[in-house]
Amino acid sequence: GFYIDLQKALDHVHAMVEAGADIIDIGGESSRPAGPYGEGAGTVSLSDELNRTIPLIASIAPRLSIPISIDTTKAEVARRAIEAGATLVNDISALRFDTNMIKVVADTGAAVVLMHMQGTPETMQSEPRYGDVAAEVKASLSEAVARAERAGIASDAIVVDPGIGFGKTLSHNLTLLNELDTLAELGKPILVGTSRKGFIGKLLSSEAEARIFGTAASVAAAILRGASIVRVHDVSEMRDVAT
């Protein structure tokens, strides 16, 4: 919610590009779960999500030479964002929440990030359980990839994301990071988002803005284990880590 004002958002995009961002990811609805540092984010109406994202995408698309990603689970938001200039759909539900989403991605030729999540944003942190977290996340993502390809989404337009913090305990998150190379067997680029997340706060007893070194360590671990894309808040610092 820091950048809902259009001018603030434009300034922030410019700053991220200057800092070395390779992709700009824009979302109008937070999926943050409730936790020790605050309440979870509530759902956002379609009209609010459109108003928060589409004018910004339309404003920056003609000026950017790097891809724009729309972070949404709503097919209409994805469709309008692509019309405005986005080329990547970042869907935390792996195309499950909105039955029209898979067709929008296939019909427009957009790329897609398929993320693993146990449950929904409202329920995902209520005692998540796995036998073998890395194997189960891999199996779920394999099914999501197959479903996307059957719908006509190009094989080379699919990215997978293990969903760090989405229906996982601290132990699950650390295990996934350490066994991330398991996902490489899917043959897709791997995106990892650990930036400022709650599991880092649990380890370091820190609030979100104070998790930069924990984030840096997790980004380094993810890259060493095979991540191709890291989704971060602190672009300049994490660019240094990646380099």
Side-chain angles (χ1 to χ4, degrees):
F2 292 148
Y3 307 106
I4 288 178
D5 176 80
L6 182 59
Q7 190 56 53
K8 284 185 179 179
L10 288 168
D11 291 345
H12 190 55
V13 167
H14 178 72
M16 288 193 291
V17 172
E18 288 291 302
D22 296 304
I23 300 169
I24 296 295
D25 188 53
I26 294 171
E29 179 177 51
S30 174
S31 50
R32 184 184 66 253
Y37 299 100
E39 292 302 313
T43 56
V44 172
S45 70
L46 173 62
S47 60
D48 280 350
E49 193 172 340
L50 288 169
N51 289 337
R52 291 177 180 183
T53 57
I54 306 308
L56 177 58
I57 294 171
S59 295
I60 65 173
R63 313 178 197 181
L64 289 189
S65 58
I66 60 174
I68 298 169
S69 163
I70 176 67
D71 180 352
T72 187
T73 60
K74 297 182 179 73
E76 181 63 11
V77 174
R79 184 184 67 78
R80 294 273 298 275
I82 293 164
E83 288 174 354
T87 57
L88 172 65
V89 176
N90 185 10
D91 184 349
I92 64 169
S93 80
L95 309 176
R96 292 182 298 114
F97 287 179
D98 188 328
T99 55
N100 294 320
M101 180 69 92
I102 197 165
K103 187 175 189 305
V104 167
V105 176
D107 288 353
T108 59
V112 66
V113 178
L114 304 176
M115 195 197 79
H116 177 274
M117 172 170 45
Q118 189 176 89
T120 67
E122 293 77 23
T123 65
M124 63 187 181
Q125 290 307 108
S126 301
E127 299 184 25
R129 296 183 182 183
Y130 301 87
D132 180 331
V133 65
E136 290 174 43
V137 167
K138 176 189 171 185
S140 177
L141 287 173
S142 179
E143 291 176 9
V145 167
R147 188 170 68 249
E149 291 178 342
R150 284 196 302 271
I153 297 172
S155 179
D156 63 357
I158 298 172
V159 177
V160 295
D161 178 347
I164 299 293
F166 285 81
K168 283 98 178 171
T169 64
L170 171 60
S171 176
H172 294 147
N173 290 321
L174 296 177
T175 299
L176 271 175
L177 272 179
N178 200 35
E179 300 180 14
L180 193 64
D181 47 358
T182 302
L183 298 185
E185 297 168 16
L186 297 174
K188 306 297 181 189
I190 300 168
L191 182 152
V192 174
T194 57
S195 187
R196 304 186 186 179
K197 284 190 173 174
F199 82 101
I200 297 172
K202 286 182 181 178
L203 280 172
L204 306 180
S205 300
S206 59
E207 296 191 6
E209 290 74 16
R211 297 172 190 166
I212 189 164
F213 285 108
T215 294
S218 65
V219 165
I223 293 170
L224 289 168
R225 288 290 190 264
S228 298
I229 307 169
V230 286
R231 185 176 183 268
V232 303
H233 300 86
D234 306 290
V235 177
S236 179
E237 295 87 347
M238 299 311 142
R239 181 87 190 187
D240 283 355
V241 172
T243 301

